[in-house]
Amino acid sequence: MMKFDTPAGPNPTDKLKVLDKPYDRIDGPLKVSGQAPYAYEYQDAAPNAAYGVVVTSTIGKGRIDTIDTSDAERAPGVLMVMTHLNAPKQNDRGSPQLQGAEIKQYGQAVALVVANTFEQATAAAQMLHIGYSQEKGRFSLDLLKDGELSQRAGNVDMGDFAGAFAGAPAKVDVTYTTPNQSHAMMEPHASTAVWHGDKLTLYLAHQVMHWVTSGVAGTIGIPEANIRAVSAYVGGGFGSKLVIYADAILASLAARKLGRPVKIALTRGQIFNHTTHRAQTMQHLRLAAGRDGKLVAVGHATYTGDQPGGGGEHASGQTKLLYAGKNRLIQTYLAELDLPKAGAMRAPGEAVGLLALENAMDELAEQLDMDPVELRVVNDIQYDPEVGPDRPFSERKLVQCLRTGAERFGWSKRNPKPGQVRDGQWLVGMGVSAGIRGNPVTASGTRVTLRPDGTVLVESAMTDIGTGSYTINAQTAAEMLGVPMAAVEVRLGDSALPRASGSGGSWGANSSTSGTYAACWLLRRMLAEKAGFDPEQAQFADGAIAAGDKRVALKSLVGGSPVTAVDSIEFGDLTKKYAQASFGAHFAEVGVDMHTGEPRVRRLLSVCSIGRVLNPKTARSQCLGGMTMGVGSALMEDLIVDPRFGYFVNHDMAEYQVPVHADIPDLDVVFLEGEDNKSSPMKARGVGELGICGVGAAVTNAIYNACGVRVRDYPATMDKILAGLMT
Amino acid sequence: MDQDSNPKRTGVTRRGLLAGSAATVALANAHALADPATPSPAPAPATVPVSLNVNGTKHSLKLDPRVTLLDALRERLGLTGTKKGCDHGQCGACTVHVNGTRINSCLSLAVMHEGDEITTIEGLGLPGNLHPMQAAFVKHDGFQCGYCTPGQICSSVAMLKEFDQGVPSNVTEDLENIVFSDEEVRERMSGNICRCAAYPNIVAAIREVHGGGVA
């Protein structure tokens, strides 16, 4: 176990012969040819799998009174129908399914139908007769704003907020709303369950393998050691696949009962209501500044909602760290709702918190008659504003991001007065936003093997959900062991391999490569000892180990059997001693059709400071994805609640609109040079979520600059913009 | 948004009918709504013979007529490179070529394709022998999670042929002189959603292949 509790000194990753180079993804050829298997596609491991189809509740709150399965059971090809009346008892802790008549949310699983074919199961799933008693549910934040609210942990009341706010010469007091949003990753949640005796192998779409083994084992009541979870390839997650849903539990239970593999994919329609979503927010921003633009009062209250025990969307969090200001009132209030359960979605908190905060900063800049870039610059702070200089940032280059971006984007050409720039029918404007995303790290392990032919095998339970984990872990091993990329093979996404961080919260790349770094250090030591070299002095390069003028080919150290090292990284309290976050500055140019109000993004630039860049090609792609999702949050993404039944009515890929090719121009991404030795031995920080943090606000600030319409209820759709244009 | 949770206020709607407008909802779906007392349904449907030419190989199958072309490829022929993203023709992940034209295979029943020539991602190229478009996607990082990727690539290859055939799009300015441009590509590729949003990289890959570049 390698403990990372002091800032990293010089280490072998500093060579940057392989790291920080734009290698193509090593899993690329498999993915572009359809050869990478996803959860529903393990036909070799489960050649005779039966097909399960989940039936979900059509009310948001109430009870199942009657459930008649006789027609479904008699339907052709049907092998079993499972409901709460015959489902095995499961543990409350975990993700139990079909455990009673109570309906807590629309889309809750109420039955499973298993048949020989998908078509038979789908048809039979239509033949259940279910009687419900519907109860009145709490489905709208508006109804609850003054009602039953609880405060979430982490609230801050510092200095004299009310006094400072009242006495300041410039201030904004505005409320923004952000809607429920859906991850809408491309691969539906799916599971293929295969039992061998009392051992279960579960091929599923998940981001963290040991959460599957503990969660499924805990739910269905078997030892964790008896479950192997496999997610070798995951078709996108964005947080949705941090959770265990009905597909995993019901496939496992049905396969055990039938003595035959069972596979289940949630239908696209089910995904929107059965699985988690990003919760809606109302955000009350009160910012006050002196004439010099320096913030004297920072107030951010978020109202959000979730089922009992849930967390909603903590949209005030980033405001604790982003700007200076001595008087601070930062709060999150939580209402109990009966909507589907909320959960983490890409940059939970920041993604929608910055939509409101960075719009409010734009409003403040206008009131101060100050350039929005300068307003952010004068409010930069190099330490945690709640703690003081004793907790500095590990590396904070927000000002440099802003300056670099302004220069590159041509910010000086922006006319601060809205509605002044025309291009044919288009009113054109520019907007800016700061970006911040916390930098969590977590323990992660890897097994590294030097094989007799001189190649290296890297194995870890880490997942690659499109993030590039295969490639950057290969780069890490190649760098550490001095072998070419072509000599490295990587296997991931299998709980039988060393426990790893998994993917989520931007922690995956930094944590998992640090685990690989630790295992490589151990292997280096083993190999140096075999060669008779001092492990501290030995150099690894060009497939050989060298010390002084002695040089030994790695291959010659292996002999007949491979040499294997297993180790993991654990992180100490450096994230407590130092505030750690990735920073960015986003610049948008948007055209608004003067006749229809249609907004079109014309240019978008993100300047990012993420410490060391492990692979500029895959890191840039992460930013492109975040930026595009940011555009979606600004302009179109909106899960609409039907308050009669408490469900998301636009539950498909056509009505829950996400950006398509035609919405997204060429995007520009710049990474500032840097390294963060307090973050990890890799000296990197998270990048997967930074792109979405602030981009949407840059877009809506550009809309305001283009046409003078400030839409405070996201998304800024053309109907809302047009209404503003006509007033 | 209508914040009134009393369904009676909203009048009769299809959704209201399906989900019920009284306190007790007796029925879960439209079939049942029509006649909840319907006895045991019809026996197993007969299978229908169909032969498909997939990637140059003829397959003679007997299929449940409800099987989509997508599920025939994935679940009957084991060609899982073609992906199911939505099963509704809304995402494009299931795009294949039928007689050279791109279609959403989830919106088409397999039995409608007797004798058709079908090309899937596996037929375009495999590792070691990638199609130029596949290679360009790798080079330009035109994907992340990889799930929409086979559909994007099948769509790209057919889309370029549509240019050659003079097929216009919604953004074509001059029907007599259709000019390849990024805007045309983005319009024509908008039926293929990529939530990881590799869009700029996909356009770069297509641009390179169109320009004759081989990655």
Side-chain angles (χ1 to χ4, degrees):
Chain A
M1 177 78 67
M2 179 183 279
K3 184 112 181 180
F4 184 73
D5 51 10
T6 53
N11 71 40
T13 65
D14 298 335
K15 286 181 291 182
L16 300 185
K17 280 188 175 170
V18 189
L19 289 165
D20 197 20
K21 298 284 185 290
Y23 280 95
D24 293 344
R25 283 169 205 264
I26 61 173
D27 49 335
L30 289 178
K31 283 181 171 174
V32 299
S33 60
Q35 302 302 295
Y38 297 80
Y40 203 70
E41 300 169 353
Y42 280 83
Q43 297 180 350
D44 290 340
N48 60 335
Y51 291 80
V53 169
V54 178
V55 179
T56 55
S57 121
T58 55
I59 63 169
K61 185 172 170 63
R63 292 184 64 79
I64 302 169
D65 290 332
T66 59
I67 185 158
D68 177 357
T69 59
S70 55
D71 285 347
E73 281 165 356
R74 284 197 298 271
V78 169
L79 302 169
M80 76 183 307
V81 178
M82 193 187 290
T83 69
H84 69 281
L85 300 173
N86 64 348
K89 178 92 177 72
Q90 298 146 53
N91 296 320
D92 284 346
R93 202 172 47 79
S95 308
Q97 306 292 328
L98 309 179
Q99 293 300 286
E102 186 186 0
I103 300 296
K104 292 180 182 168
Q105 72 170 67
Y106 190 100
Q108 175 180 327
V110 294
L112 172 72
V113 177
V114 185
N116 284 314
T117 71
F118 174 70
E119 293 73 26
Q120 290 167 335
T122 301
Q126 301 287 313
M127 297 177 191
L128 294 176
H129 308 296
I130 305 172
Y132 294 104
S133 295
Q134 189 177 351
E135 294 165 20
K136 190 176 164 74
R138 301 161 294 180
F139 303 130
S140 168
L141 266 187
D142 295 337
L143 298 173
L144 292 166
K145 188 176 177 188
D146 304 315
E148 312 140 40
L149 290 167
S150 60
Q151 286 215 33
R152 244 187 82 143
N155 290 351
V156 176
D157 186 352
M158 219 176 109
D160 173 18
F161 173 81
F165 187 78
K171 66 189 84 168
V172 294
D173 183 342
V174 286
T175 299
Y176 283 81
T177 65
T178 66
N180 296 290
Q181 297 173 349
S182 182
H183 313 79
M185 70 289 132
M186 296 308 297
E187 183 207 12
H189 304 269
S191 295
T192 302
V194 184
W195 288 85
H196 296 285
D198 61 356
K199 301 270 200 303
L200 168 65
T201 302
L202 192 55
Y203 304 90
L204 81 171
H206 206 278
Q207 297 174 218
V208 183
M209 293 296 86
H210 61 278
W211 293 4
V212 176
T213 52
S214 65
V216 173
T219 304
I220 69 174
I222 65 171
E224 186 174 354
N226 286 7
I227 298 191
R228 177 180 165 218
V230 178
S231 296
Y233 297 93
V234 181
F238 314 116
S240 181
K241 291 172 180 169
L242 292 167
V243 181
I244 294 163
Y245 304 105
D247 58 297
I249 300 301
L250 295 180
S252 300
L253 293 172
R256 185 170 65 183
K257 184 143 193 234
L258 289 172
R260 175 178 171 184
V262 170
K263 63 178 181 178
I264 300 173
L266 298 181
T267 68
R268 182 55 68 177
Q270 289 172 341
I271 289 170
F272 288 88
N273 284 291
H274 176 78
T275 74
T276 59
H277 63 282
R278 189 200 300 282
Q280 61 192 319
T281 69
M282 289 189 293
Q283 300 178 49
H284 185 197
L285 271 298
R286 284 178 291 171
L287 304 176
R291 285 281 160 225
D292 56 1
K294 290 191 174 168
L295 290 165
V296 296
V298 179
H300 191 165
T302 295
Y303 299 82
T304 183
D306 204 344
Q307 289 183 23
E313 185 75 6
H314 192 30
S316 305
Q318 73 290 318
T319 309
K320 292 155 67 77
L321 285 176
L322 188 51
Y323 295 122
K326 286 198 164 54
N327 306 292
R328 312 174 76 84
L329 186 62
I330 297 166
Q331 306 149 303
T332 300
Y333 295 98
L334 196 57
E336 283 192 0
L337 296 178
D338 299 304
L339 287 172
K341 203 173 282 180
M345 177 169 153
R346 199 175 205 160
E350 291 98 331
V352 293
L354 286 165
L355 290 178
L357 174 63
E358 288 300 282
N359 279 174
M361 285 292 280
D362 208 57
E363 298 199 50
L364 183 64
E366 187 180 36
Q367 209 184 104
L368 286 160
D369 197 19
M370 190 169 178
D371 185 281
V373 170
E374 295 307 318
L375 177 63
R376 288 166 173 88
V377 169
V378 301
N379 285 295
D380 186 54
I381 184 164
Q382 290 293 313
Y383 51 83
D384 180 341
E386 288 174 19
V387 180
D390 287 347
R391 188 174 186 242
F393 281 95
S394 59
E395 185 195 49
R396 173 167 166 142
K397 295 183 177 172
L398 175 59
V399 171
Q400 204 175 327
C401 289
L402 288 160
R403 296 275 188 232
T404 304
E407 170 76 25
R408 187 178 175 97
F409 200 68
W411 181 254
S412 61
K413 297 193 186 77
R414 172 181 179 268
N415 187 327
K417 195 171 169 204
Q420 302 302 303
V421 180
R422 281 268 305 269
D423 176 11
Q425 79 209 55
W426 298 95
L427 299 164
V428 182
M430 292 189 206
V432 66
S433 167
I436 179 174
R437 167 65 194 171
N439 181 51
V441 282
T442 187
S444 198
T446 300
R447 178 164 70 215
V448 186
T449 301
L450 179 62
R451 296 187 285 206
D453 61 359
T455 62
V456 172
L457 176 63
V458 176
E459 298 172 293
S460 167
M462 178 59 187
T463 51
D464 188 328
I465 64 173
T467 39
S469 311
Y470 279 104
T471 309
I472 57 176
N473 276 284
Q475 287 175 268
T476 304
E479 190 81 84
M480 291 293 292
L481 300 173
V483 299
M485 276 291 277
V488 183
E489 181 189 345
V490 182
R491 293 182 192 154
L492 301 178
D494 186 335
S495 67
L497 301 173
R499 177 179 287 203
S501 65
S503 305
S506 292
W507 66 62
N510 204 11
S511 304
S512 74
T513 56
S514 294
T516 298
Y517 169 93
C520 287
W521 256 122
L522 182 56
L523 186 63
R524 284 166 62 109
R525 189 166 302 124
M526 293 162 69
L527 294 170
E529 281 165 6
K530 269 181 179 271
F533 295 165
D534 175 359
E536 299 301 320
Q537 301 300 318
Q539 300 290 314
F540 287 71
D542 305 321
I545 174 171
D549 53 1
K550 288 205 299 181
R551 186 174 180 280
V552 180
L554 290 182
K555 211 169 17 176
S556 68
L557 295 172
V558 188
S561 59
V563 183
T564 295
V566 185
D567 204 353
S568 56
I569 190 96
E570 261 202 0
F571 293 90
D573 61 355
L574 288 175
T575 50
K576 289 199 177 70
K577 286 183 181 161
Y578 297 90
Q580 296 196 16
S582 287
F583 289 90
H586 310 289
F587 293 82
E589 181 182 284
V590 177
V592 175
D593 187 303
M594 59 190 297
H595 304 297
T596 66
E598 177 189 7
R600 303 287 301 170
V601 175
R602 296 156 67 107
R603 292 194 296 139
L604 205 51
L605 162 67
S606 291
V607 182
C608 303
S609 170
I610 58 170
R612 176 184 284 163
V613 181
L614 300 177
N615 179 326
K617 183 177 277 192
T618 54
R620 176 176 174 271
S621 288
Q622 284 287 285
C623 288
L624 298 181
M627 293 160 77
T628 303
M629 211 177 269
V631 171
S633 72
L635 300 183
M636 61 192 86
E637 295 191 32
D638 186 358
L639 275 177
I640 294 167
V641 178
D642 180 334
R644 299 170 302 166
F645 307 103
Y647 81 125
F648 300 124
V649 69
N650 50 339
H651 51 303
D652 63 54
M653 295 291 289
E655 299 297 330
Y656 183 79
Q657 297 182 352
V658 301
V660 300
H661 276 279
D663 296 313
I664 301 300
D666 263 345
L667 306 179
D668 193 9
V669 180
V670 173
F671 293 112
L672 294 187
E673 288 217 3
E675 54 180 45
D676 191 335
N677 66 354
K678 287 113 185 159
S679 169
S680 78
M682 301 301 294
K683 306 176 184 177
R685 284 194 303 269
V687 63
E689 296 166 314
L690 181 63
I692 198 176
C693 295
V695 160
V699 169
T700 46
N701 287 338
I703 289 173
Y704 178 77
N705 182 242
C707 67
V709 178
R710 177 72 69 188
V711 176
R712 295 199 183 90
D713 295 305
Y714 279 92
T717 47
M718 59 195 293
D719 55 315
K720 296 174 193 169
I721 296 170
L722 186 61
L725 285 175
M726 296 195 307
T727 56
Chain B
M1 187 192 295
D2 179 358
Q3 287 159 15
D4 189 333
S5 59
N6 179 354
K8 285 174 188 160
R9 288 273 301 277
T10 64
V12 177
T13 62
R14 181 171 179 278
R15 179 67 188 85
L17 274 177
L18 291 180
S21 59
T24 295
V25 185
L27 308 159
N29 57 60
H31 289 265
L33 189 73
D35 181 2
T38 300
S40 182
T47 56
V48 177
V50 61
S51 55
L52 308 174
N53 296 311
V54 182
N55 302 329
T57 302
K58 183 174 171 182
H59 298 271
S60 295
L61 304 169
K62 285 185 175 163
L63 293 178
D64 183 328
R66 298 171 296 188
V67 175
T68 62
L69 177 58
L70 171 61
D71 284 326
L73 293 169
R74 282 170 62 83
E75 305 299 330
R76 296 338 193 256
L77 300 179
L79 294 169
T80 54
T82 307
K83 303 304 183 194
K84 183 184 282 191
C86 71
D87 225 7
H88 278 59
Q90 296 170 337
C91 77
C94 66
T95 305
V96 300
H97 301 168
V98 174
N99 302 325
T101 300
R102 54 180 171 160
I103 69 163
N104 288 329
S105 61
C106 74
L107 288 187
S108 193
L109 296 170
V111 295
M112 296 159 65
H113 292 284
E114 175 64 36
D116 281 349
E117 297 284 344
I118 294 151
T119 304
T120 69
I121 192 70
E122 294 93 341
L124 283 183
L126 293 171
N129 184 29
L130 295 178
H131 183 280
M133 189 67 80
Q134 292 170 316
F137 267 61
V138 174
K139 178 181 169 187
H140 291 280
D141 215 30
F143 60 94
Q144 292 184 45
C145 79
Y147 201 78
C148 76
T149 311
Q152 298 276 357
I153 291 170
C154 285
S155 200
S156 302
V157 169
M159 189 249 337
L160 287 181
K161 283 199 193 118
E162 290 160 20
F163 264 108
D164 296 341
Q165 293 159 357
V167 178
S169 85
N170 192 44
V171 299
T172 302
E173 300 263 338
D174 179 357
L175 297 182
E176 299 302 314
N177 180 28
I178 300 177
V179 180
F180 181 93
S181 67
D182 288 356
E183 189 190 11
E184 281 276 10
V185 170
R186 291 187 187 114
E187 173 67 22
R188 290 163 190 258
M189 289 298 294
S190 282
N192 291 87
I193 295 174
C194 175
R195 185 60 159 161
C196 300
Y199 296 133
N201 295 350
I202 293 170
V203 173
I206 293 170
R207 202 188 286 138
E208 174 168 305
V209 172
H210 175 261
V214 176

